[in-house]
Amino acid sequence: MSVPSTDAVVIGAGFSGMYMLHRLRGLGLTTRLYERGDGVGGTWYWNRYPGARCDVESVEYCYSFSEELQQAWDWTERYPSQPEILRYAEHVADRFDLRRDMRFRTRVTRAAYDEATARWQVETDRGDRVSARFLITAVGCLSDARIPAFPGAASFRGESHHTGRWPHEEVDFAGRRVAVIGTGSSGIQIIPVIAERAAEVTVFQRTPNYTIPAWNRPMRPEYARWVKDNHAEMRRSMRGSPFGIAATFNPGSALEASEQERLDELEKRWAHGGPGFLGAFADTAVDPRANELVAEFVRGKIRQIVDDPRVAELLSPRDHPIGTKRPCFDTDYYATFNRPNVRLVDVRTAPIEEITATGIRTAAASYEVDTIVYATGYDAMTGPLLAIDITGTGGVPLRAKWAAGPRTYLGLMTAGFPNLFTITGPGSPSVLSNMFVSIEQHVEWIAGCLEHLARTGATVIEADPDAEDAWMRHVGEVAAQTLFPRADSWYLGANVPGKPRVFMPYAGGVGTYRATCDEIVAKGYEGFVLSP
Ligand code: NAP
């Protein structure tokens, strides 16, 4: 039986897969897109937990490629809620008629490169087999949800959910005793919302996080109008910025500023809220002394907000510099611990030992609960890629090639895997940026590359191993100049037992990275090998 063929297979119908499909169509290429969910939206399809909201401002967290889309869509709040982002994804799918090339509820299980034909042979869990010239992964960086292997978890008789696999039906917390394990971005968003609905909430915290108020509010009509009129300029500056957001990043030094200047700047940014807080002083990212001044400012805020000094201290991060774990932005997080129905349990000193039929037992005590919320994070960046059995030239598995950590050239390709592109792959700014900016840059770079191949008569492109080695060295060197390696973060794979400890994203900034990618193209795809 002959296997159907297509020009490209795209994996994932999140914002990267949707835009990639649109651009491939523009190039006249046939595409089949596989998505394991039942609809578009990627991370926003799965993360339906109460309080789920993006912490990049809505007017910045959206596509810029279509003027019509930009003018047609109106955001209702400063930060978009999960339901609104999902509506936006669905609107985009309809507007560009994307669904006709998508296969939902279908997981790609295997992809093997066949050197003889220079094609990818792709298989799914529903028995599809398809042959494609190009394989493009749009699997997201935080899509492989992870629940730690707590003994006894299966015996729990109540309801339990991971934030990243939240049910489509509403979860009823009324009158329930709820445990939340994890205090990263997801935990910090869900805890205040559950606290308002549940009888009691017990938060199991291993590492306290720094969180900055988001100060969400309804969209101001005059700002929305201004953005529609000026978005081209705004987007241009976001693309050239370090993190792909519009907030201003002060080049000044926290150490050189006087105490009053420093406090004024931090108060101003705290009052404004959101990711711009970390842009107060450039040396926060690289100098431990500067970082400590900003970290202590946040601890001071925690002491002001939280009534019980013991709880305030437990909520105060002291084991990692601010900004070295993904920063969190919240609505009423610290104040939630003043509620009589909320308690904080330190599982750093007394770890969780077991989940029982009726609750959670730590090394110090047992807690009876009706519902467990796992806000325990993801096997980030490499997890979703390595979940697929991908083999390249000579049958080498990607899992073997990346056994000691991911290796890529620009985060876009990996040597030995011709015509495989990884949108926002490890080695690119990805998770250290506004994902929309990074997604659009990668999709457009890949589309430009495929156009170049067609124009020059080349059919195969592959990363050169030496260029890849040099890029990986550069990624490591840039990370080593920052304070990032000082935290046990998912950026380093530290949250997954046994995962190689490698700083995965590129910390050089999206503006610098984009210039590098463009320069490589201008030099005739330097570091790539193109063949007919
Ligand atoms: P996360 O940041 O990895 O947090 C996981 C939490 O679970 C941490 O507090 C971790 O503690 C805890 N944990 C893990 N294993 C544990 C164990 N065995 N015992 C006790 N605690 C344990 O995951 P996340 O909160 O889902 O966020 C992941 C990323 O998704 C974010 O960093 C962000 O990039 C993205 N996100 C964004 C938004 C947004 O835009 N607003 C919202 C949600 C998520 P340790 O710190 O000690 O490991």
Side-chain angles (χ1 to χ4, degrees), residues 507-519:
V510 296
T512 313
Y513 172 78
R514 175 184 294 267
T516 304
C517 290
D518 291 350
E519 200 180 306

Side-chain angles (χ1 to χ4, degrees), residues 33 38 40 55 67 80 103 118 124 147 170 194 211 315 351 395 425 456 468 472 474 481 517:
L33 183 150
D38 197 16
V40 297
D55 48 31
E67 180 64 25
R103 302 281 184 283
T124 76
I147 296 182
E170 196 177 333
I194 299 179
T211 170
L315 287 167
T456 56
E468 179 169 293
M472 291 325 301
H474 177 60
Q481 288 162 19
C517 290

Side-chain angles (χ1 to χ4, degrees), residues 495-527:
N495 63 326
V496 178
K499 189 166 172 170
R501 212 181 160 96
V502 173
F503 190 78
M504 295 181 284
Y506 176 57
V510 296
T512 313
Y513 172 78
R514 175 184 294 267
T516 304
C517 290
D518 291 350
E519 200 180 306
I520 283 166
V521 172
K523 290 184 180 163
Y525 289 87
E526 185 180 71

Side-chain angles (χ1 to χ4, degrees), residues 13-73:
F15 286 110
S16 48
M18 289 203 288
Y19 183 35
M20 193 73 246
L21 169 58
H22 178 64
R23 291 302 295 248
L24 290 165
R25 277 198 196 149
L27 294 173
L29 298 175
T30 56
T31 304
R32 188 170 290 187
L33 183 150
Y34 292 109
E35 163 58 51
R36 67 191 157 136
D38 197 16
V40 297
T43 198
W44 301 105
Y45 171 90
W46 297 103
N47 280 268
R48 294 166 188 253
Y49 62 86
R53 187 180 289 286
C54 183
D55 48 31
V56 174
E57 296 203 14
S58 52
V59 294
E60 302 170 30
Y61 191 79
C62 51
Y63 289 121
S64 71
F65 70 84
S66 160
E67 180 64 25
E68 288 76 16
L69 173 63
Q70 171 74 32
Q71 296 304 332
W73 186 264

Side-chain angles (χ1 to χ4, degrees), residues 283-288 321 324 432 471-487 491-492 501-509:
D283 49 359
T284 310
V286 291
D287 188 320
T324 54
L432 297 182
W471 180 251
M472 291 325 301
R473 268 197 307 280
H474 177 60
V475 170
E477 282 160 12
V478 171
Q481 288 162 19
T482 70
L483 301 178
F484 278 122
R486 299 191 181 205
Y491 295 143
L492 278 151
R501 212 181 160 96
V502 173
F503 190 78
M504 295 181 284
Y506 176 57

